[in-house]
Each structure stands twice: as C-alpha cells, then as structure tokens.
Amino acid sequence: MEPDVLANGNTTPAAAPQSSIRQNDHLTESLKLEDQLMRVPFEHLKKSMRASSRMVEKEMNAVVTGVAEAVERDMSKEEAVQHLTSLVSRLQGLKRKLDESNKSEQLKVQKCRVRLDHLSMLQTENQHEWNSTRVKRILVDYMLRLSYYDTAMKLAESCNIQDLVDIDVFMDAKKVVESLQNGDCAPALAWCAENKYKLKKSKSKFEFQLRKQEFIELVRVDQSMDAIAYARKHLAQWGKTYLKDLQQAMATLAFKSNTDCATYKILFDAKQWDDLVQLFKQEFCKLYGMTLQPLLNIYLQAGLTALKTPFCYEENCTKEDPLSQADFRNLASSLPFSKHIHSKLVCYISKELMDEHNPPLVLPNGYVYSTKALEEMAKRNNGKVTCPRTGLVCNLTDLQKAFIS
C-alpha cells in the first residue's frame, strides 16, 4: 500500500488516551493560552478602582481645604452655614459617584468570576462544549479588533457569552478610534490622561504623536503663532526624549503644507491619522494585556505551522492535506516548517508505537491497528479480528499491510 493511504481520514489511527499526567500538562498549556481571558477584565477593574481612588482623593482634599478656609476666614453665621452646606453637597455628590462606581466594579468582579468558572470546565469532561465556546470567543475578539462591533455583539448575545468577551472594553476604544478617523485628537488625549501612569511606565510615544499632529494641523491652516504657542506649551517637554521628531515638526513652520520636500510633506499626509489609529490600537492592547494580533490569527498561524512540512509543497502531496490548497499555502508562506516532519503512529488498541518492527495493518473498513495487537486478538478468536470502533469482524488474512515512509 502507498504511504499516502495513511493520510486518509479513515485510515489515520486515533491518538492514544492521555494519562492523568499528560492531561494535567494539557490543562497547564491550555491555561497559558488564556492569559488574555482573565487579564483584560482584571486590568479593567484595576483601572476603575484607580479612577475611584483618584476621585475620592480629589474631593476629600477639596473638602478639607474648604473646612480649613472656613476656620481661617471671619465668616458670618449665614456665610458659614452656606459654605458648609456646599461642602456637604459635594460629599453627597461624591457618595453618589462612588455608589455608581461600586456597581460598575461589582459587574467587573462578576465577569472575572464567570471567566474563572469557564476555565474550570477544562477539568471536566465537557471538552467539546468548552472548545466550541472558545471558537466563538476567538471570533468575537477578531470582529471587535476589526471594528465589526454590531456583528460581534450579536454573536455574543446569540451564544450567551457576553461575560466571556471584552465588548465593553472595545466600545470604550471605539470612541477614540472614531474621533481619530475624523481628525480629532481630544478623546485620545483624554484617554492618555486617564492612563498616564501606565503609558509613562511603558515609555509610550502615543501622546507625543497626538500633540505633534495637533501642531501640524495648526501649521496646515497657517496659524503659525498659535502653532508656536502650542509647541511651547505641549511639545517642549518632549524635547529630550524625541528631539529629532520635534525638530522635524518645527521645520514645517518654514516649509508649510504645500511643500514638495518629501521629509516634511509626509507630515501633512492624511495617512498620519491612520498611523495614529494603529498606534492607539497597539497601546490599547498593551494597556489591557491583550495580544497585538487577533487571537484568530495566532491560532491559525499555530495550526498551519504544525501542519506545514516540506512534503506539503511536493507534487504528490495528498489532497487531504490542507496545505495542498493554494489559499492555505499562501497563508502559511511566511511561517516556519513544523519541527517534526514525520508523524508517529500509535496503535489504538495496544497504545504502542507502530514502526517497521510493529507495522500497521489496514482493515477492510479503512481503520489501522498494529500487527502485534491484531495477531494477539486473532490468536484468541480463531483467526478473527474485530474492529474496536465499528465492530467489523474479519479474518486476519483479509488485512493489508501499510508501509511507513
């Protein structure tokens, strides 16, 4: 029998059942791939708690300052009552904001709990259900990253996986993306202010690029004096870090927007806004611990790499091999070859390796088992063998030998 018979779906032996140790290893490896699932809601919760903490600190400082001011000033009784009433109103407003923040944080905690319960399913026998849910999560993630928000929400709702995907986080990002696409930096700068500590820690260039773009837009409409004032206020502080970029931007005051000099003409190109959108998406993913590429791309690349071997590009490559198709070959063109060129065949019955010393035998129904296992079965059943999968009974002499190349 030709070697390519082994590539047929009916003749490939099933993988041996995993031992408890291997199963634990599988669970560990699966959990490593789910870092984003838990990290995103956790980072979102941390961000909300930091915002609440800053709000409390700001309001309490204002109230304490107000009380100290009331003590120092010589107020009449009416003025003192009015002043203290305003401070009480401020504290009541703080309480309302904290109540709203608490409700929001409780929802985020609930989302973390749901995701932990989802991961616990890995330890049960509901692997098929868990894998099905994972595929849906990956598809929603892909749609959100490509800005197909409505489709992503409909899929999440229809599959009841709203707590397992990050629609709320991406909807926050949507506002920034749309504003940048419309040539407005204000929401993006507000986002930078909200996440100033983390962006500074990661040495992000995003805020500088936004400030530079606003400067360029002032130069574009010939508001040179306003551009200079803006540069002094918002760009001068970046001089030590991005001196070369800053000098290039400042030179546009002399070259103007209609320049033919490529070095400065590119700064006025509309593509700069697209670059800002892409830079924001990168910083957004870093902030929440997301992968820079969609999960669908990562899993697809991993799968194609596992399948890709030099044999896939030979003329006699079997049609059952996905990489025999031109579209899959194009997707895998930049990916490395699989580390293992040849597969190992393990007998479904004996769990032993099938090789030249224990070659595979093919039953009339197309299933493959090891010679040793089938001969032992035939000895116990007067030369008859039974397929453990389909129940087919046949003579040992009816089997054909398969050769491993």
Side-chain angles (χ1 to χ4, degrees):
M1 182 174 292
E2 293 296 327
D4 62 0
V5 173
L6 294 177
N8 186 287
N10 292 331
T11 61
T12 303
Q18 295 176 328
S19 65
S20 58
I21 296 178
R22 292 186 62 190
Q23 185 175 9
N24 289 335
D25 291 341
H26 171 70
L27 293 175
T28 301
E29 294 303 316
S30 296
L31 288 173
K32 288 180 181 178
L33 297 173
E34 299 301 331
D35 177 70
Q36 178 174 312
L37 181 69
M38 292 305 305
R39 188 170 177 181
V40 173
F42 180 68
E43 291 294 338
H44 201 200
L45 176 60
K46 284 173 59 180
K47 179 181 176 182
S48 178
M49 294 177 68
R50 283 196 299 268
S52 298
S53 178
R54 287 195 297 268
M55 179 175 63
V56 170
E57 184 178 358
K58 178 182 177 181
E59 294 296 322
M60 291 306 299
N61 286 339
V63 170
V64 171
T65 302
V67 172
E69 181 183 349
V71 172
E72 293 176 359
R73 288 174 54 187
D74 185 15
M75 293 184 178
S76 65
K77 182 178 179 181
E78 291 76 12
E79 289 177 335
V81 170
Q82 184 178 1
H83 185 71
L84 292 175
T85 301
S86 66
L87 294 179
V88 171
S89 298
R90 189 161 189 168
L91 289 173
Q92 290 174 338
L94 174 61
K95 183 178 182 299
R96 286 193 298 270
K97 291 178 181 179
L98 287 176
D99 288 340
E100 294 174 1
S101 178
N102 182 58
K103 292 178 182 178
S104 176
E105 289 169 10
Q106 287 298 323
L107 292 175
K108 294 179 178 66
V109 171
Q110 176 63 23
K111 181 171 288 190
C112 291
R113 185 177 293 110
V114 170
R115 297 191 181 195
L116 285 172
D117 293 340
H118 173 67
L119 288 179
S120 68
M121 289 178 63
L122 277 170
Q123 299 178 342
T124 68
E125 297 180 356
N126 298 327
Q127 289 293 310
H128 177 74
E129 180 183 349
W130 194 88
N131 288 330
S132 176
T133 303
R134 172 191 266 182
V135 171
K136 294 168 185 173
R137 288 196 289 108
I138 291 172
L139 289 175
V140 172
D141 173 82
Y142 183 78
M143 294 173 186
L144 289 171
R145 289 174 185 260
L146 271 65
S147 302
Y148 301 139
Y149 302 107
D150 293 339
T151 307
M153 285 190 287
K154 288 179 181 178
L155 177 59
E157 290 172 3
S158 64
C159 300
N160 195 27
I161 57 173
Q162 294 96 319
D163 287 336
L164 298 178
V165 291
D166 304 306
I167 293 176
D168 51 345
V169 177
F170 277 95
M171 292 306 290
D172 291 339
K174 178 185 177 183
K175 301 172 186 176
V176 177
V177 170
E178 289 180 344
S179 66
L180 291 175
Q181 290 172 339
N182 293 326
D184 181 11
C185 291
L189 287 169
W191 182 83
C192 289
E194 290 176 6
N195 302 282
K196 185 175 181 179
Y197 172 75
K198 283 226 165 188
L199 293 175
K200 183 178 180 181
K201 188 176 181 181
S202 64
K203 298 181 180 179
S204 170
K205 194 178 181 180
F206 183 51
E207 184 178 354
F208 169 75
Q209 294 288 42
L210 290 172
R211 296 295 186 186
K212 186 177 77 170
Q213 189 63 37
E214 288 201 324
F215 171 82
I216 293 297
E217 294 305 314
L218 290 172
V219 176
R220 189 194 302 275
V221 294
D222 292 327
Q223 296 183 11
S224 299
M225 296 307 297
D226 290 339
I228 292 172
Y230 183 91
R232 287 172 175 169
K233 183 177 181 180
H234 298 292
L235 288 176
Q237 58 183 307
W238 301 94
K240 293 182 180 180
T241 312
Y242 305 113
L243 179 60
K244 186 176 180 180
D245 289 341
L246 182 56
Q247 288 174 337
Q248 183 185 13
M250 294 304 297
T252 59
L253 290 167
F255 284 88
K256 305 296 183 181
S257 61
N258 58 354
T259 180
D260 292 326
C261 181
T263 303
Y264 304 103
K265 184 178 181 180
I266 192 173
L267 294 179
F268 295 99
D269 196 324
K271 184 178 177 296
Q272 294 294 324
W273 288 103
D274 295 332
D275 293 341
L276 283 175
V277 170
Q278 293 304 316
L279 182 57
F280 167 72
K281 289 182 177 180
Q282 291 177 15
E283 296 298 338
F284 170 77
C285 290
K286 290 179 183 177
L287 184 73
Y288 286 105
M290 298 180 183
T291 56
L292 296 181
Q293 291 190 56
L295 292 174
L296 181 62
N297 291 9
I298 294 173
Y299 280 97
L300 183 61
Q301 290 172 2
L304 289 173
T305 299
L307 294 171
K308 185 178 178 182
T309 66
F311 179 73
C312 298
Y313 292 85
E314 296 181 5
E315 293 183 0
N316 60 343
C317 177
T318 61
K319 293 183 180 180
E320 289 79 7
D321 188 336
L323 286 171
S324 66
Q325 308 298 318
D327 290 339
F328 281 106
R329 287 184 178 181
N330 290 336
L331 288 172
S333 60
S334 61
L335 300 175
F337 286 106
S338 175
K339 182 177 181 180
H340 301 288
I341 297 177
H342 299 290
S343 300
K344 292 182 179 180
L345 302 180
V346 179
C347 178
Y348 181 84
I349 300 173
S350 65
K351 318 306 180 206
E352 294 181 1
L353 189 67
M354 291 188 282
D355 52 22
E356 65 275 12
H357 304 296
N358 186 25
L361 293 178
V362 185
L363 275 66
N365 62 0
Y367 284 96
V368 177
Y369 306 100
S370 68
T371 299
K372 183 178 178 181
L374 292 174
E375 286 180 347
E376 290 178 357
M377 186 187 296
K379 288 179 182 179
R380 298 192 300 267
N381 297 283
N382 299 320
K384 301 283 186 179
V385 295
T386 303
C387 178
R389 293 168 178 165
T390 65
L392 174 71
V393 179
C394 60
N395 294 318
L396 183 64
T397 54
D398 295 334
L399 308 185
Q400 290 182 302
K401 182 178 290 187
F403 296 93
I404 304 174
S405 60

